Amino acid sequence: MDNAKKRPVGRRGFLKDAAATAAAFVAEPSAAHGHAHHDHGHDHQHQAVPSDVALRVKALESLLVEKGLVDRTALDAVVDSYETKIGPRNGARVVARAWVDAAYKKRLLADPTAAIAELGYSGGQGEDMVVLENLPKIHNLVVCTLCSCYPWPVLGLPPVWYKSAPYRSRAVIDPRGVLREFGLDLPENVEVRVWDSTAEVRYLVLPERPAGTDHLSEEALAALVTRDSMIGVTKVSPPPAGGRA
Amino acid sequence: MNGVHDMGGMHGMGPVVHEKDEPVFHEAWEGRVYALTRLVRAAGGRWNIDAGRYEIERIPPADYLRMSYYERWAVRLPIQVVKMGLATQAEIDSGAPAAGSARATPQLTAAMVPAMLATRVSTKRDVKVKATFKRGQRVRARNIHPTGHTRLPRYARGKVGAVVEDRGVFVFPDTNAEFLGEKPQHLYSVRFTARELWGDRASPRDSVYLDLWDDYLERV
């Protein structure tokens, strides 16, 4: 469903002529777009014919830059922030701190936005946070059925599956089936609480600390915490036996 | 609106496909459309988050389902830019500023981006508004079908739940999306049992929590 390579269909033929205009920009060296920091491959950048949507976005960016409405290096900085700084490692540090510091955990549950800001994380789509503590008999799961609301400051931008029709449609009606697809088969006696992010409140799941991690440092604990466990589709696994700790 | 975006409880969408080691942006243009959407807000003009969601919801359903998340953003951005008065449709069609148009100065430089991204822009409002419901009270989500923007999903309408928390006073999306005012009102966390929503075959233990405004609820 969410296949970025599929050809888009514009709402009212928007920019149908823009592709031709944008073709003029394709010859620009890719460095002009500031992608040098990408460590994952963008093979499409080197294709002879970029996708229609890529051309439309490029044409629009050029127009807005030319009109002096946006600064290209500021755009680069936004992309770089979400690719390298604002991501699930932030949330993992919050979780690890809560695991090792009981007073912090208490603050985190009582005033989540402020406690998260203590560690330096705040901003758009994290203005009013709620932290949901997973317990042996209570499992919390977060979804946004209406769009793709997600706590950006602590988890970064959402993965494709979180934004996809299968997850959005099924998380509320069949949460246990969805969890099984993530490899988590919860017993009947565990209560599942699904949180549909219908307003501007954003949810972070505080997963259970795995057994056998008493000896681990806060930093080592943070390394165990996955994005998916903070959405509530998985648990945090203990470190592999004999693994580095 | 009863659009295809309101997906909770639908069948037939298939399994959840989980990509291992997924990149933040799969293609460079996704990052660009994301960043452009964040930054054009600083260029002036009337806009808000609910208006933005409403534009996405008005993408025709077949297109909405076929498109990826950022393809929808790429459809919204030119609409948003025109509605904000930042560019004309003719300029977008031609890809060039109108002859003789004034050149603005970008309001946000790269150096300002980290602080901008870390800034809280809450829709919580510090105003005194009477709360209609209390914690613990049973409430019914109203059986309403607004044709505009709303954050009351279809699957909850007409269902009875319990208020578990009063989250305070927040901007009301239904009016805000169409610039008809913020109409700030209490927002509640409401718990619905899975059986109330989905019938007797649902787990007796499970529940779904929704954040719902005063105007979405009625007394039982």
Side-chain angles (χ1 to χ4, degrees):
Chain A
M1 165 89 28
D2 274 284
N3 183 343
K5 293 219 163 51
K6 278 182 188 160
R7 190 180 164 82
V9 177
R11 184 164 145 199
R12 290 175 215 138
F14 278 102
L15 298 176
K16 65 180 181 329
D17 300 323
T21 313
F25 297 102
V26 176
E28 283 182 4
S30 64
H33 250 180
H35 292 138
H37 59 276
H38 286 212
D39 56 5
H40 48 272
H42 279 298
D43 293 342
H44 64 282
Q45 284 291 301
H46 312 295
Q47 287 170 1
V49 184
S51 69
D52 177 60
V53 65
L55 290 175
R56 285 188 288 134
V57 171
K58 192 160 191 159
L60 194 50
E61 175 178 333
S62 295
L63 174 68
L64 296 173
V65 167
E66 219 178 313
K67 285 176 73 67
L69 296 168
V70 292
D71 178 299
R72 199 161 252 156
T73 60
L75 295 170
D76 297 340
V78 172
V79 173
D80 182 64
S81 295
Y82 285 97
E83 285 192 326
T84 66
K85 298 181 187 77
I86 306 174
R89 298 333 304 159
N90 297 2
R93 289 188 196 101
V94 171
V95 168
R97 175 66 55 86
W99 283 348
V100 299
D101 180 341
Y104 180 77
K105 180 178 164 183
K106 202 171 165 189
R107 290 199 300 283
L108 182 66
L109 294 172
D111 189 355
T113 313
I116 289 167
E118 280 180 41
L119 300 194
Y121 313 129
S122 68
Q125 294 298 304
E127 284 91 354
D128 295 283
M129 293 292 303
V130 166
V131 172
L132 308 164
E133 184 182 14
N134 276 353
L135 297 165
K137 288 287 158 56
I138 296 174
H139 186 89
N140 295 285
L141 173 69
V142 179
V143 65
C144 172
T145 61
L146 296 172
C147 47
S148 302
C149 297
Y150 194 73
W152 293 350
V154 280
L155 296 187
L157 300 179
V160 166
W161 64 258
Y162 182 86
K163 302 177 285 193
S164 72
Y167 185 71
R168 286 165 53 191
S169 60
R170 294 177 52 212
V172 285
I173 191 172
D174 182 24
R176 289 170 186 267
V178 168
L179 291 173
R180 275 193 296 274
E181 283 172 27
F182 279 90
L184 182 56
D185 198 354
L186 291 175
E188 270 306 315
N189 65 356
V190 173
E191 176 187 342
V192 176
R193 296 179 177 177
V194 182
W195 300 78
D196 191 354
S197 313
T198 50
E200 298 306 327
V201 175
R202 294 290 166 270
Y203 296 98
L204 178 73
V205 173
L206 174 58
E208 289 175 87
R209 179 173 176 165
T213 56
D214 291 351
H215 61 294
L216 293 186
S217 67
E218 184 177 335
E219 201 183 336
L221 288 168
L224 297 177
V225 180
T226 61
R227 173 196 69 202
D228 292 356
S229 70
M230 294 181 280
I231 303 171
V233 291
T234 59
K235 293 188 177 217
V236 176
S237 306
R244 59 187 178 82
Chain B
M1 58 187 282
N2 290 348
V4 74
H5 69 281
D6 184 358
M7 290 182 175
M10 286 179 76
H11 287 138
M13 297 296 187
V16 178
V17 178
H18 186 276
E19 180 184 349
K20 201 168 175 292
D21 300 324
E22 181 176 336
V24 173
F25 300 113
H26 287 75
E27 311 236 4
W29 67 264
E30 298 184 345
R32 304 316 281 184
V33 77
Y34 176 82
L36 284 163
T37 304
R38 294 293 304 271
L39 293 188
V40 290
R41 291 285 295 277
R46 188 175 69 165
W47 201 251
N48 64 57
I49 191 165
D50 297 305
R53 293 199 182 110
Y54 191 30
E55 287 302 340
I56 296 277
E57 292 164 7
R58 281 183 287 178
I59 294 173
D63 293 342
Y64 183 103
L65 288 173
R66 185 166 44 240
M67 287 177 181
S68 72
Y69 178 74
Y70 287 117
E71 282 171 348
R72 293 177 202 137
W73 282 49
V75 167
R76 172 176 60 188
L77 183 59
I79 301 172
Q80 176 178 346
V81 163
V82 170
K83 287 194 173 176
M84 290 175 80
L86 300 175
T88 63
Q89 188 61 49
E91 287 177 315
I92 288 173
D93 291 343
S94 73
S101 61
R103 187 188 159 90
T105 302
Q107 295 301 300
L108 285 167
T109 62
M112 293 155 77
V113 163
M116 186 276 275
L117 297 180
T119 300
R120 291 181 68 212
V121 189
S122 179
T123 56
K124 195 169 188 175
R125 292 290 175 265
D126 191 16
V127 291
K128 279 252 182 276
V129 177
K130 194 177 173 301
T132 312
F133 306 102
K134 296 194 301 278
R135 210 164 137 167
Q137 191 171 347
R138 270 160 48 88
V139 289
R140 178 181 288 110
R142 295 171 64 198
N143 181 18
I144 48 173
H145 298 266
T147 54
H149 179 66
T150 187
R151 299 290 290 181
L152 173 58
R154 262 176 287 179
Y155 73 83
R157 296 175 193 169
K159 307 294 184 180
V160 173
V163 173
V164 294
E165 200 75 59
D166 183 339
R167 300 213 183 276
V169 174
F170 282 81
V171 171
F172 187 54
D174 301 38
T175 48
N176 196 44
E178 298 184 71
F179 307 104
L180 299 172
E182 293 196 340
K183 205 181 178 188
Q185 53 189 275
H186 281 261
L187 177 74
Y188 310 91
S189 174
V190 182
R191 174 183 186 265
F192 297 90
T193 66
R195 288 199 162 176
E196 169 72 9
L197 296 174
W198 314 114
D200 290 346
R201 293 183 64 182
S203 160
R205 288 181 204 281
D206 298 351
S207 52
V208 181
Y209 292 71
L210 288 86
D211 288 310
L212 300 175
W213 281 262
D214 240 322
D215 277 6
Y216 295 162
L217 301 171
E218 61 190 13
R219 292 171 196 284
V220 175

